[in-house]
Amino acid sequence: MEKILDDNYYDLIVDNLMNPNGSEDADITMLNETHHISHVRTSEISICDERQAPYYSLPELFTPVSIINSGGAFNESLWFNSQSPFQGKEIIIGILGTGIDYQHPAFLNTDRTTRILSIWDQSEQSGAVPAGFTFGSEYTSEMINQALASEDPLSVVPSIDINGHGTAIASIVTGRPDSNQSFSGIVPESELVIVKLKEAKQSLKQLFFVPDDLLCFQETDMILGIRYLITVSQNLRRPLVICIALGSNMGGHDGISPISTYLNSIAGLPDMGIAIAAGDEGNKERHYFNNTGSQPYYHDFQLNVGSSDKLFSMEIWPYAPSTLSIGIVSPLGEYTELIYPSLACKEFAFEQSQSTLLINNFVFESGGRNPLILIRFKNPYPGIWYFRAVSVENTPFSFHAWLPAGDLISNETFFFESNPDTTVTSPGNTTNPLTVTAYNQSNNSILTESGRGYTRLGVVKPDIAAPGYQISCAVPGNRYGVMSGTGAAVGYAAGAIAIAMEWSYIKGDYVTINGNQIRGMLTYNALRDSAVDYPNNIWGYGILDIENLLNMLLNI
């Protein structure tokens, strides 16, 4: 078994300066030009002592953004004009996520052949591995057409989308119109390349105290998936729009993680556009912020823990150069000592409540990060937990704290006096790609769940707001449903990028345009309310409007 598939190995992200020859062997898998994976036996690393595997070398965990619901769609402003000169022709839409129902009519031509150029199913090991990679199965359009003509399609192409999220996102961008369902994708003549991500390793989920049965993906597989999308588009010499509707609350929300570094670099390439969902964490009460500017230099805050949340983690990110010590009191009055910064991990087993805490309080010396306090909870007693953050230097300090995103915890676990700002999830806090928030197009109000900026370092995010309320989408099994949230909105925005790409490359109007310039084009032409200051941390630079975009393109 390849080590990248083996749960007995952690996949650590390492800078390529540690592998100057770029060699790949059984213990190394290349990610891209800047990073590689070092496969290290789990038995060599203590779950509590991460000195051998610093936090910044561990892949972040991502969950799907927005969920599918039944019900009618609100698509008054979304029905795309079939007479438009831009339908996405020759543009590739790349989707990372849960896969796709390739048999759905939304992804078929009128002759019932596929509109999917290829699928890389990382979770399926029975087929041919794509060139340049070491695992998974690649299914070409020819193979998918053979499957569609077969009485048993899954015997030919055994790739499915059990969750439905990937199918929905792909259809919002590029689904074939169906007037009976009041449905159409934004660019129905574009074609798809799909990466079905394998689930995160159980060993990594256990390291971060994520329940085994919850769906999430790891950063390394996403980076490899992005590299695959780029490889396919470059081989075909066609423009690519990458649509990412996955998010994470791990990390410093600063846009400097390995996946952010990669996305920043490729956003400047010709033929490349990137749209990323801002996440649906704005109203989840999973972010806390404090700024203590005067004595006494400590701060108390509280966390309510729900009865169903038996495993989860919390991250506290102080701003350098401040360092903090942390003390914790359980709902039954059991307490820890003050935990000061060190290389060691402290474990506390509370006998009365049967709760276990693992606490790392460390200062990063590399990775470009600030200090971090990582607290992992096992069987925490339900109720209110109390925290005291104390300045080690006895000086002013400030910090952010985040709980896991998506369904990695329930809504019963939340901060008291939470802060809805700085809730754009990773990789939406990456600087160069287009980060998309969602608004209700029926009344022009922001969706309350939409992630808010800015980033922890003050970079303007989100960039733009797109329609995200009850957007019609395909659902596995030849059905249709609706999706609300920034996952739906990013599909709309990816379609807008594809329109700009088609105008630029296929029509030959501006052949040197890149993703950064398209982001500038969309934000410059966003609709803005004269009573509101822009950019701001809720709407970014304003509302994305495809009709406005078309008018601009047709008059250049």
Side-chain angles (χ1 to χ4, degrees):
M1 177 186 292
E2 292 286 343
K3 292 179 180 178
I4 200 166
L5 301 171
D6 194 337
D7 255 321
N8 294 308
Y9 290 86
Y10 291 127
D11 301 328
L12 307 184
I13 303 176
V14 181
D15 194 292
N16 282 346
L17 292 175
M18 304 298 291
N19 181 31
N21 297 324
S23 58
E24 195 164 16
D25 57 33
D27 295 318
I28 292 177
T29 298
M30 296 304 297
L31 285 173
N32 51 31
E33 294 81 0
T34 58
H35 292 91
H36 66 271
I37 301 172
S38 176
H39 303 289
V40 180
R41 278 196 172 275
T42 56
S43 59
E44 297 177 8
I45 298 175
S46 167
I47 194 171
C48 190
D49 187 351
E50 296 180 42
R51 284 174 287 188
Q52 294 174 292
Y55 175 89
Y56 56 80
S57 71
L58 298 169
E60 294 178 0
L61 294 172
F62 294 78
T63 57
V65 173
S66 305
I67 59 174
I68 304 165
N69 295 303
S70 58
F74 181 93
N75 47 10
E76 176 183 325
S77 63
L78 296 183
W79 186 261
F80 193 60
N81 182 4
S82 62
Q83 303 303 312
S84 166
F86 305 114
Q87 301 278 323
K89 189 174 180 61
E90 296 297 322
I91 307 299
I92 297 173
I93 307 297
I95 306 290
L96 299 166
T98 62
I100 194 167
D101 177 5
Y102 65 84
Q103 301 179 64
H104 198 289
F107 311 117
L108 303 180
N109 295 306
T110 54
D111 62 358
R112 295 197 56 77
T113 57
T114 188
R115 295 175 51 235
I116 301 170
L117 297 171
S118 67
I119 300 172
W120 179 27
D121 190 335
Q122 295 182 350
S123 67
E124 178 62 51
Q125 309 308 319
S126 62
V129 177
F133 298 86
T134 60
F135 69 103
S137 299
E138 182 179 42
Y139 303 106
T140 63
S141 58
E142 292 79 6
M143 298 174 67
I144 298 170
N145 283 330
Q146 290 174 15
L148 292 170
S150 169
E151 293 183 358
D152 183 10
L154 294 180
S155 67
V156 182
V157 175
S159 184
I160 58 175
D161 180 9
I162 297 175
N163 179 279
H165 185 267
T167 297
I169 299 298
S171 71
I172 291 170
V173 188
T174 187
R176 182 164 66 91
D178 186 333
S179 58
N180 293 328
Q181 300 290 336
S182 297
F183 168 80
S184 175
I186 301 300
V187 280
E189 291 187 17
S190 59
E191 293 181 288
L192 285 158
V193 176
I194 302 296
V195 176
K196 179 178 179 179
L197 299 166
K198 67 179 180 65
E199 292 192 32
K201 288 185 175 182
Q202 294 291 351
S203 53
L204 183 63
K205 293 165 71 172
Q206 290 164 6
L207 188 68
F208 284 114
F209 283 30
V210 173
D212 291 346
D213 60 338
L214 296 184
L215 174 67
C216 58
F217 309 106
Q218 64 185 62
E219 182 177 10
T220 45
D221 294 330
M222 290 178 63
I223 292 174
L224 289 170
I226 293 167
R227 198 182 95 199
Y228 173 80
L229 296 176
I230 295 171
T231 300
V232 173
S233 71
Q234 289 179 340
N235 288 343
L236 295 174
R237 297 184 178 181
R238 289 169 58 179
L240 170 67
V241 179
I242 299 174
C243 180
I244 300 177
L246 305 169
S248 175
N249 262 349
M250 295 176 66
H253 292 64
D254 45 25
I256 62 173
S257 64
I259 191 169
S260 290
T261 302
Y262 190 33
L263 290 168
N264 266 334
S265 67
I266 64 176
L269 297 175
D271 297 334
M272 182 71 60
I274 306 169
I276 305 175
D280 291 352
E281 296 294 309
N283 64 348
K284 300 297 193 300
E285 300 180 302
R286 295 171 181 173
H287 170 243
Y288 186 87
F289 175 73
N290 167 71
N291 179 31
T292 297
S294 59
Q295 292 183 332
Y297 294 120
Y298 68 83
H299 180 75
D300 296 331
F301 61 104
Q302 295 82 43
L303 172 72
N304 188 78
V305 174
S307 59
S308 62
D309 293 313
K310 303 299 184 183
L311 285 170
F312 68 92
S313 62
M314 180 174 82
E315 297 184 5
I316 301 173
W317 287 83
Y319 282 94
S322 298
T323 53
L324 304 179
S325 60
I326 191 78
I328 305 173
V329 181
S330 79
L332 299 183
E334 304 153 298
Y335 58 90
T336 69
E337 62 192 63
L338 278 178
I339 309 302
Y340 287 85
S342 72
L343 292 176
C345 169
K346 295 293 184 72
E347 181 173 353
F348 295 90
F350 293 152
E351 293 185 5
Q352 185 178 359
S353 64
Q354 297 296 297
S355 306
T356 300
L357 275 66
L358 272 61
I359 306 173
N360 291 87
N361 185 352
F362 34 50
V363 178
F364 291 112
E365 297 179 353
S366 61
R369 302 282 189 166
N370 283 313
L372 165 67
I373 301 173
L374 173 64
I375 304 171
R376 290 171 282 180
F377 297 83
K378 181 179 181 181
N379 297 320
Y381 195 83
I384 302 175
W385 288 71
Y386 300 86
F387 301 82
R388 172 165 289 186
V390 182
S391 169
V392 173
E393 298 84 7
N394 197 34
T395 56
F397 67 92
S398 58
F399 67 85
H400 295 267
W402 287 279
L403 295 166
D407 62 357
L408 297 187
I409 57 169
S410 73
N411 291 332
E412 296 177 347
T413 297
F414 57 87
F415 290 113
F416 290 94
E417 299 182 0
S418 62
N419 187 317
D421 298 332
T422 327
T423 51
V424 171
T425 52
S426 175
N429 36 54
T430 307
T431 302
N432 293 335
L434 184 78
T435 301
V436 186
T437 190
Y439 78 100
N440 183 335
Q441 65 276 12
S442 69
N443 59 18
N444 288 334
S445 65
I446 202 75
L447 292 184
T448 57
E449 65 264 37
S450 296
R452 298 187 179 192
Y454 300 117
T455 74
R456 189 172 63 90
L457 301 183
V459 176
V460 174
K461 291 288 168 177
D463 294 296
I464 207 161
Y469 176 67
Q470 293 186 3
I471 306 301
S472 183
C473 64
V475 178
N478 295 344
R479 297 177 296 122
Y480 292 86
V482 295
M483 176 181 280
S484 293
T486 63
V490 77
Y492 183 97
I497 293 175
I499 289 170
M501 283 280 192
E502 183 180 6
W503 166 82
S504 167
Y505 290 96
I506 309 307
K507 306 300 181 184
D509 289 303
Y510 185 19
V511 295
T512 61
I513 199 169
N514 60 37
N516 287 336
Q517 292 164 323
I518 289 177
R519 176 172 62 92
M521 179 190 300
L522 297 181
T523 55
Y524 179 80
N525 287 280
L527 301 179
R528 286 180 271 274
D529 185 336
S530 60
V532 177
D533 291 331
Y534 297 92
N536 60 61
N537 69 322
I538 297 174
W539 295 89
Y541 288 88
I543 291 176
L544 171 60
D545 182 83
I546 286 182
E547 292 298 330
N548 201 40
L549 173 65
L550 284 171
N551 289 335
M552 184 209 69
L553 296 177
L554 293 173
N555 286 289
I556 290 180

